[in-house]
Amino acid sequence: MLIAALGGEGGGVLTKWLIEAADRSGWYCQSTSLAGVAQRTGATIYYLEFMPRTHSEMKPVMSLFPAQGDIDLAVTSEIAEAGRMISRGFISPNRTTLISSSHR
């Protein structure tokens, strides 16, 4: 899951809530944030990975960086952020569900 937001919009808080909920529900999970200042200061990508826990003894190895075209769900705080995620190649029409606000 990828969350794209600007500073102060609550992306970090939402990420923390989602990771805590997943952990309490018995999922392997992790998150990281990537500050991106290519277009404007404060644009941040929060990347979260979730995987159901199995009875296997081996823990999964999770990525710390989103792979282009390999995102299942993307949530953006505004349409400009959605466009930025599309232009960076994170959104795949065959794989990604994109949820965005049309309000700016």
Side-chain angles (χ1 to χ4, degrees):
M1 176 180 191
L2 184 142
I3 300 171
L6 299 175
E9 290 183 330
V13 173
L14 177 59
T15 297
K16 182 179 176 182
W17 289 346
L18 291 170
I19 291 296
E20 187 171 322
D23 186 52
R24 287 184 182 192
S25 297
W27 289 62
Y28 290 115
C29 53
Q30 75 171 21
S31 68
T32 189
S33 61
L34 310 158
V37 295
Q39 293 184 358
R40 59 185 178 251
T41 303
T44 303
I45 296 172
Y46 302 91
Y47 179 58
L48 302 83
E49 284 198 347
F50 307 99
M51 180 179 287
R53 287 199 176 131
T54 63
H55 299 314
S56 170
E57 293 182 27
M58 297 186 63
K59 291 184 179 179
V61 176
M62 296 183 168
S63 176
L64 291 175
F65 189 81
Q68 291 178 325
D70 199 28
I71 303 297
D72 295 319
L73 175 64
V75 179
T76 67
S77 60
E78 62 179 57
I79 199 75
E81 288 300 304
R84 189 167 69 89
M85 293 302 98
I86 292 168
S87 71
R88 290 191 62 188
F90 290 118
I91 309 303
S92 168
N94 299 328
R95 179 178 190 140
T96 310
T97 298
L98 174 61
I99 301 170
S100 182
S101 172
S102 61
H103 179 70
R104 182 157 198 222

